[in-house]
Structure formats: C-alpha cells, structure tokens
Amino acid sequence: MKLSVLLVALIGLVLAALAVQVSLAKARHDPVEYYMGWRGYRHPITPEHRITKEEADALTAKGAAYLIGHFDGDGKLTGVVKLYRGKFFFEYLYAYHPNGRLQRARITRAGQVKVLEYDARGHKVADAGTAF
C-alpha cells in the first residue's frame, strides 16, 4: 500500500514538473515573431499560429495579412503590427505595471491613435473610445 502511494506521488511530481517546464517554454519569445492571426478582443491580444519570416514574406506576395509581434526580455508582448498586402493596417503598443498587469494600450489604426489606460488591478481608468 505504501509503495503504491509513493508511486502515485512520484508520478504526480513528475507530471507537475513537466507542466511547469511546458509553461515556461511557452513564455519564451524571440524579440520579433510573426503570426497568422490572434485570438481575443481584449488587450493585450494573443497572437496565434506562429510563422517564419519567409512565410510572412510569402503572405505579403500573395496579398494576405499577418502580424509582427514584439516581445521584451520577460516574454511580454510590447507591440503588434498587422500588415495587409504589405502595408500597415494597425499597431498596438503595450506598457505594463510592475505587477505584470496591462497599464496602457496605444492603438493606431486608419491614421487615428487611441489610448486605453488601466490601473494596477486591471480595471480600465481611461477610455479613448472604441479600440477596434
């Protein structure tokens, strides 16, 4: 009985260690990455379907859209640019509070700039209008 309990505990520890390792691997980013799209309509957005620079160039040649994500040394998304047909479509720039929560989202689209401000708890404190 004691052996089976120890075995279950050991398996649990190994699985927990693997889960932590996988989550840490996901948090690592290159300073610049390319993506096919994103999920969510809250800031910061979550870029999805990472592609290579060569794939992004091929999308430009086809007249398709893709995103360029910029990350800081901690793996936080600091900026996203969407290119459509090789031209600027929108840009999101992000700043964070020391606790890691979003402080500011600066949205540039169609020649207009909008800024959203958030407190350290993540509540919106300033809204410059519709962000999308």
Side-chain angles (χ1 to χ4, degrees), residues 1-16:
M1 181 72 176
K2 288 183 181 182
L3 182 59
S4 61
V5 171
L6 286 173
L7 187 58
V8 168
L10 181 61
I11 290 171
L13 286 173
V14 169
L15 290 175

Side-chain angles (χ1 to χ4, degrees), residues 21-126:
Q21 193 172 24
V22 167
S23 69
L24 288 175
K26 287 183 179 180
R28 294 186 188 121
H29 289 279
D30 294 331
V32 177
E33 297 178 351
Y34 301 86
Y35 294 89
M36 290 286 298
W38 75 91
R39 107 176 107 89
Y41 283 93
R42 298 179 67 130
H43 292 288
I45 64 170
T46 304
E48 287 191 325
H49 309 293
R50 187 173 172 183
I51 59 175
T52 65
K53 169 76 165 102
E54 293 75 20
E55 290 170 316
D57 292 341
L59 288 170
T60 296
K62 292 179 187 177
Y66 66 92
L67 302 175
I68 303 172
H70 299 270
F71 296 87
D72 66 14
D74 295 327
K76 284 239 184 245
L77 183 66
T78 59
V80 176
V81 175
K82 179 178 180 179
L83 296 177
Y84 176 60
R85 296 184 175 174
K87 295 183 180 176
F88 176 89
F89 192 76
F90 68 64
E91 177 182 56
Y92 302 149
L93 297 176
Y94 299 119
Y96 297 89
H97 288 284
N99 68 1
R101 293 214 183 228
L102 184 64
Q103 179 181 19
R104 181 180 313 104
R106 183 180 187 269
I107 298 110
T108 304
R109 184 173 176 186
Q112 295 184 344
V113 176
K114 298 177 183 186
V115 178
L116 304 174
E117 298 276 347
Y118 300 86
D119 66 19
R121 293 177 294 159
H123 298 103
K124 199 180 295 184
V125 294

